[in-house]
Amino acid sequence: MDATISPGLYPLHRCKTLHLVRHAQGVHNVAGETDHAAYSSEEYFDAHLTPLGWQQVDHLRNHVHATGLSKKVDLVIVSPLLRTMQTAVGVFGGEGYKDGIEVPPLMVANAGQSDRPEISSLNCPPFVAVELCREHLIENDDDVLWKADTREKNEEVAARGMKFLSWLWTRKEKEIAIVTHSGFLYHTLSAFGSDCHPSVKDEICKHFANCELRSVVIIDRSMMGSDPATTNYPGKIPSGLDLPSDVADEKLPDEGKAN
């Protein structure tokens, strides 16, 4: 059978489900439409969401609740920039505060010129900000990942993406939302899909729209993951004779040759 169209089969405990999200529209996206240099401008480096971006967040939040995805996610990983953090907490954060319940907010009111109320940490998955899933990096004295006077090359972004995916296997969570950036997603995902039908490769590697969500499964083929299977059951409890018929058939010719 042609390898490009044959199905794959992998143990469930060696898989993770990733819900990939590009941040909603930021002020840098608007500025970049008329002047591409805005994407490299210090003014827009830590851009906040636009009012339209917050509308996009609200629509995606409605979607993840309507589909039940909000209850499945074990962990939210987010790039530590304002636009991604606003998107992450807006989509996956908790509901409004309840009387008598004191919990810290995920986002304070009007954070990043949002004109939005605070977002609760009540009844939502944990959030982790991770440097590895940031956008292209640029030199800055306050940023240990930026390199002097250069914008990170695409292949360097892809290599950082693979390092990030390897790090994911150190996490016990099986269903993870990742809120990050277009460039990071595109260059990381471009390393995948070469063993698939071309249409699947295109589906994996196309650019993300603002606040787009795509769900994928990542496979541990190299034994990086060490978590045991939680749904497998060993059988033979209580123990008894259970020789499979096909194994018995294989033994019959040999037994017939015995002296």
Side-chain angles (χ1 to χ4, degrees):
M1 183 180 290
D2 188 339
T4 62
I5 59 174
S6 61
L9 185 68
Y10 302 94
L12 180 61
H13 69 107
R14 300 209 175 273
C15 305
K16 290 183 187 291
T17 301
L18 307 182
H19 304 288
L20 307 174
V21 180
R22 181 191 175 192
H23 64 77
Q25 186 193 70
V27 293
H28 67 306
N29 294 129
V30 177
E33 283 290 330
T34 56
D35 181 9
H36 187 71
Y39 286 110
S40 300
S41 169
E42 183 177 350
E43 177 184 359
Y44 293 108
F45 163 68
D46 201 14
H48 59 81
L49 298 186
T50 65
L52 177 64
W54 278 109
Q55 291 180 40
Q56 294 171 341
V57 167
D58 290 339
H59 281 280
L60 181 53
R61 181 182 181 85
N62 290 339
H63 171 77
V64 300
H65 280 266
T67 59
L69 181 57
S70 59
K71 297 186 181 301
K72 296 179 180 178
V73 171
D74 303 315
L75 175 70
V76 179
I77 295 175
V78 57
S79 160
L81 293 178
L82 182 56
R83 56 191 178 272
T84 43
M85 291 192 290
Q86 287 180 321
T87 302
V89 300
V91 173
F92 297 103
E95 300 294 343
Y97 284 95
K98 306 295 183 183
D99 291 341
I101 299 178
E102 293 292 335
V103 292
L106 285 172
M107 187 181 81
V108 299
N110 198 37
Q113 305 178 42
S114 65
D115 195 28
R116 306 277 289 199
E118 61 190 8
I119 296 176
S120 171
S121 60
L122 189 65
N123 297 325
C124 68
F127 286 68
V128 178
V130 177
E131 291 276 357
L132 283 172
C133 63
R134 282 183 28 176
E135 186 58 288
H136 283 79
L137 307 171
I138 307 172
E139 166 62 12
N140 183 288
D141 290 340
D142 298 325
D143 195 320
V144 296
L145 287 184
W146 285 2
K147 294 184 178 181
D149 302 322
T150 62
R151 179 174 169 86
E152 194 177 25
K153 296 178 181 178
N154 292 340
E155 55 267 29
E156 292 175 317
V157 177
R160 178 161 53 86
M162 297 307 294
K163 185 177 180 180
F164 170 74
L165 293 178
S166 295
W167 172 80
L168 280 182
W169 288 110
T170 69
R171 304 288 314 190
K172 67 180 185 301
E173 297 86 1
K174 293 298 184 183
E175 195 144 351
I176 302 173
I178 300 167
V179 184
T180 180
H181 307 266
S182 174
F184 177 81
L185 288 167
Y186 178 78
H187 295 298
T188 300
L189 295 178
S190 291
F192 296 91
S194 297
D195 56 347
C196 301
H197 188 278
S199 64
V200 177
K201 172 75 172 177
D202 291 342
E203 182 180 353
I204 292 172
C205 301
K206 67 180 180 180
H207 284 283
F208 277 64
N210 280 131
C211 224
E212 180 180 354
L213 181 152
R214 292 183 213 159
S215 299
V216 300
V217 175
I218 185 171
I219 308 298
D220 176 17
R221 293 176 173 171
S222 61
M223 301 292 287
M224 289 186 293
S226 58
D227 291 340
T230 58
T231 57
N232 290 1
Y233 184 73
K236 209 171 182 177
I237 301 173
S239 182
L241 300 176
D242 64 349
L243 180 67
S245 61
D246 55 334
V247 176
D249 290 342
E250 292 173 1
K251 289 185 175 184
L252 284 175
D254 294 332
E255 291 175 355
K257 296 176 183 177
N259 293 328

